[in-house]
Amino acid sequence: MTPAVIQRWIDMIHDNRVDELDDLLADDAVFHSPALFKAQEGKAATATYLTAASKMFAGTDFRYVGQWFGERSAVLEFEATIDGVYVDGVDMIVWNDDEKITSFKVMIRPFKGLQVIMPRMAELLQSA
Amino acid sequence: MTPAVIQRWIDMIHDNRVDELDDLLADDAVFHSPALFKAQEGKAATATYLTAASKMFAGTDFRYVGQWFGERSAVLEFEATIDGVYVDGVDMIVWNDDEKITSFKVMIRPFKGLQVIMPRMAELLQSA
């Protein structure tokens, strides 16, 4: 069964209600980008990255295609097409006892998929 | 509990017994590279890629750091350092009723990590 926090995340993305991130993220949430080594630390930085990603995928054929669950963590696989380029990725999500997300990591394949999202994300983050 | 086929995979990699791949892979196994869109089809092609990857990580600090299980699939997260560059990735493994691996997908982050493994893998595949 899908953990409550994950169902909440999936519904939020599906309905494009990113304003709910403030309630879904822990204060000490960390975002690990598919491109950068350096983690983005804190709720505000994490929300900024997730909001930009959500904008990037809005209006595309983004869909979750697989899910794996651990104790207080999950891996969600997604697929999407951006500018005609196939993007296959995972959201790796960890949460705490209060059902708040503490860590959000993204990986993307293939190389061309990562290449197409990097300038898009940079642009969206600059205008954020 | 770790599924038998995954424990077998982990032990095989740990002990560097890649000759056992022939028994662990299904005839119709498919390999999805972190770099290439196109899947590598069949047991022989899949074994070639997994053997090259195993050679690339042999002697490094490669270790599995997380695992998530589904019905007949698993996600294993790994970390390693190659040429001083941090590599963080997932092995996404699917198996069949006969406990043979039918699909093996790899994703790698960050961008520099993917950049460092691509020429290494190309070299190892050429000399395979």
Side-chain angles (χ1 to χ4, degrees):
Chain A
M1 214 187 77
T2 307
V5 61
I6 293 301
Q7 194 57 56
R8 216 176 143 198
W9 164 260
I10 291 171
D11 292 344
M12 193 199 76
I13 289 301
H14 182 266
D15 300 339
N16 204 20
R17 292 180 273 108
V18 285
D19 49 308
E20 288 180 24
L21 273 173
D22 189 57
D23 190 54
L24 195 55
L25 297 174
D27 287 341
D28 58 352
V30 174
F31 180 77
H32 301 272
S33 134
L36 304 174
F37 168 74
K38 197 173 175 294
Q40 311 300 315
E41 295 181 355
K43 183 197 273 192
T46 301
T48 299
Y49 271 78
L50 292 176
T51 301
S54 155
K55 276 185 189 162
M56 179 175 65
F57 286 118
T60 74
D61 57 348
F62 179 96
R63 68 274 179 193
Y64 282 116
V65 296
Q67 42 188 27
W68 295 263
F69 304 127
E71 186 75 23
R72 266 190 314 230
S73 60
V75 178
L76 306 178
E77 183 179 9
F78 60 86
E79 292 181 329
T81 313
I82 303 244
D83 285 344
V85 176
Y86 173 73
V87 175
D88 183 13
V90 285
D91 289 338
M92 305 176 72
I93 302 170
V94 182
W95 58 92
N96 63 18
D97 283 341
D98 299 330
E99 303 267 300
K100 307 286 186 188
I101 293 172
T102 54
S103 175
F104 203 108
K105 184 185 284 188
V106 182
M107 299 191 191
I108 301 249
R109 67 172 289 280
F111 189 66
K112 275 187 187 165
L114 187 52
Q115 275 182 316
V116 83
I117 68 116
M118 283 171 68
R120 288 277 200 132
M121 280 294 288
E123 203 178 311
L124 284 160
L125 287 165
Q126 268 185 335
S127 66
Chain B
M1 215 187 74
T2 307
V5 60
I6 293 301
Q7 194 56 55
R8 217 178 142 196
W9 164 260
I10 291 171
D11 292 345
M12 192 199 77
I13 289 300
H14 182 267
D15 301 339
N16 204 19
R17 292 181 272 105
V18 285
D19 50 307
E20 289 180 24
L21 273 173
D22 190 57
D23 190 54
L24 195 55
L25 298 174
D27 288 340
D28 59 350
V30 174
F31 180 78
H32 301 272
S33 134
L36 305 174
F37 168 74
K38 197 172 174 296
Q40 311 300 316
E41 295 181 355
K43 183 197 273 194
T46 301
T48 299
Y49 272 78
L50 292 176
T51 301
S54 155
K55 276 185 189 161
M56 179 176 64
F57 286 119
T60 74
D61 58 349
F62 179 96
R63 68 272 178 194
Y64 282 115
V65 296
Q67 41 188 29
W68 295 264
F69 304 127
E71 186 75 24
R72 268 192 310 235
S73 61
V75 178
L76 305 178
E77 183 178 9
F78 61 86
E79 293 181 328
T81 313
I82 303 243
D83 284 344
V85 177
Y86 173 72
V87 175
D88 183 13
V90 285
D91 289 338
M92 306 176 72
I93 302 169
V94 182
W95 59 91
N96 63 18
D97 283 340
D98 300 329
E99 303 267 300
K100 308 288 185 187
I101 291 173
T102 53
S103 175
F104 203 108
K105 184 185 282 188
V106 182
M107 300 191 191
I108 300 247
R109 67 172 289 280
F111 189 65
K112 274 186 188 168
L114 187 52
Q115 276 182 315
V116 82
I117 69 114
M118 283 170 67
R120 289 277 200 132
M121 279 294 288
E123 203 178 312
L124 285 160
L125 287 166
Q126 268 186 336
S127 65

